[in-house]
PDB file of all heavy atoms in Angstrom:
ATOM      1  N   SER O 114    -125.499   7.645 -11.678  1.00 55.00           N
ATOM      2  CA  SER O 114    -126.597   6.726 -11.391  1.00 55.00           C
ATOM      3  C   SER O 114    -126.343   6.082 -10.043  1.00 55.00           C
ATOM      4  O   SER O 114    -125.256   6.181  -9.487  1.00 55.00           O
ATOM      5  CB  SER O 114    -126.679   5.661 -12.490  1.00 55.00           C
ATOM      6  OG  SER O 114    -125.454   4.952 -12.556  1.00 55.00           O
ATOM      7  N   ALA O 115    -127.324   5.435  -9.523  1.00 71.00           N
ATOM      8  CA  ALA O 115    -127.201   4.804  -8.210  1.00 71.00           C
ATOM      9  C   ALA O 115    -126.284   3.605  -8.311  1.00 71.00           C
ATOM     10  O   ALA O 115    -126.603   2.623  -8.976  1.00 71.00           O
ATOM     11  CB  ALA O 115    -128.581   4.394  -7.712  1.00 71.00           C
ATOM     12  N   SER O 116    -125.130   3.692  -7.660  1.00 83.00           N
ATOM     13  CA  SER O 116    -124.200   2.569  -7.650  1.00 83.00           C
ATOM     14  C   SER O 116    -124.718   1.484  -6.722  1.00 83.00           C
ATOM     15  O   SER O 116    -125.443   1.748  -5.758  1.00 83.00           O
ATOM     16  CB  SER O 116    -122.817   3.029  -7.188  1.00 83.00           C
ATOM     17  OG  SER O 116    -122.286   3.960  -8.090  1.00 83.00           O
ATOM     18  N   VAL O 117    -124.309   0.286  -7.007  1.00 90.00           N
ATOM     19  CA  VAL O 117    -124.762  -0.863  -6.221  1.00 90.00           C
ATOM     20  C   VAL O 117    -123.553  -1.515  -5.580  1.00 90.00           C
ATOM     21  O   VAL O 117    -122.573  -1.839  -6.261  1.00 90.00           O
ATOM     22  CB  VAL O 117    -125.506  -1.879  -7.108  1.00 90.00           C
ATOM     23  CG1 VAL O 117    -125.926  -3.091  -6.284  1.00 90.00           C
ATOM     24  CG2 VAL O 117    -126.716  -1.225  -7.758  1.00 90.00           C
ATOM     25  N   ARG O 118    -123.619  -1.676  -4.255  1.00 91.00           N
ATOM     26  CA  ARG O 118    -122.510  -2.318  -3.571  1.00 91.00           C
ATOM     27  C   ARG O 118    -122.487  -3.797  -3.910  1.00 91.00           C
ATOM     28  O   ARG O 118    -123.516  -4.478  -3.884  1.00 91.00           O
ATOM     29  CB  ARG O 118    -122.656  -2.157  -2.063  1.00 91.00           C
ATOM     30  CG  ARG O 118    -121.409  -2.593  -1.309  1.00 91.00           C
ATOM     31  CD  ARG O 118    -121.666  -2.661   0.179  1.00 91.00           C
ATOM     32  NE  ARG O 118    -122.564  -3.770   0.498  1.00 91.00           N
ATOM     33  CZ  ARG O 118    -123.003  -4.052   1.716  1.00 91.00           C
ATOM     34  NH1 ARG O 118    -122.655  -3.261   2.717  1.00 91.00           N
ATOM     35  NH2 ARG O 118    -123.802  -5.069   1.929  1.00 91.00           N
ATOM     36  N   ILE O 119    -121.281  -4.295  -4.216  1.00 92.00           N
ATOM     37  CA  ILE O 119    -121.155  -5.719  -4.549  1.00 92.00           C
ATOM     38  C   ILE O 119    -120.226  -6.452  -3.590  1.00 92.00           C
ATOM     39  O   ILE O 119    -120.203  -7.686  -3.581  1.00 92.00           O
ATOM     40  CB  ILE O 119    -120.657  -5.914  -5.997  1.00 92.00           C
ATOM     41  CG1 ILE O 119    -119.308  -5.226  -6.213  1.00 92.00           C
ATOM     42  CG2 ILE O 119    -121.687  -5.399  -6.990  1.00 92.00           C
ATOM     43  CD1 ILE O 119    -118.716  -5.474  -7.595  1.00 92.00           C
ATOM     44  N   ALA O 120    -119.446  -5.717  -2.771  1.00 92.00           N
ATOM     45  CA  ALA O 120    -118.560  -6.385  -1.814  1.00 92.00           C
ATOM     46  C   ALA O 120    -118.077  -5.391  -0.779  1.00 92.00           C
ATOM     47  O   ALA O 120    -118.069  -4.176  -1.006  1.00 92.00           O
ATOM     48  CB  ALA O 120    -117.366  -7.013  -2.530  1.00 92.00           C
ATOM     49  N   GLN O 121    -117.699  -5.930   0.373  1.00 91.00           N
ATOM     50  CA  GLN O 121    -117.126  -5.112   1.436  1.00 91.00           C
ATOM     51  C   GLN O 121    -116.269  -5.996   2.315  1.00 91.00           C
ATOM     52  O   GLN O 121    -116.617  -7.140   2.614  1.00 91.00           O
ATOM     53  CB  GLN O 121    -118.236  -4.461   2.266  1.00 91.00           C
ATOM     54  CG  GLN O 121    -117.712  -3.640   3.445  1.00 91.00           C
ATOM     55  CD  GLN O 121    -118.811  -2.879   4.132  1.00 91.00           C
ATOM     56  OE1 GLN O 121    -119.529  -2.124   3.494  1.00 91.00           O
ATOM     57  NE2 GLN O 121    -118.937  -3.083   5.438  1.00 91.00           N
ATOM     58  N   LEU O 122    -115.103  -5.473   2.730  1.00 90.00           N
ATOM     59  CA  LEU O 122    -114.254  -6.228   3.650  1.00 90.00           C
ATOM     60  C   LEU O 122    -113.418  -5.274   4.472  1.00 90.00           C
ATOM     61  O   LEU O 122    -113.195  -4.124   4.094  1.00 90.00           O
ATOM     62  CB  LEU O 122    -113.365  -7.225   2.900  1.00 90.00           C
ATOM     63  CG  LEU O 122    -112.527  -6.727   1.716  1.00 90.00           C
ATOM     64  CD1 LEU O 122    -111.163  -6.269   2.168  1.00 90.00           C
ATOM     65  CD2 LEU O 122    -112.392  -7.837   0.694  1.00 90.00           C
TER      66      LEU O 122
END
Side-chain angles (χ1 to χ4, degrees):
S114 59
S116 297
V117 178
R118 190 190 70 182
I119 58 176
Q121 177 173 305
L122 51 90

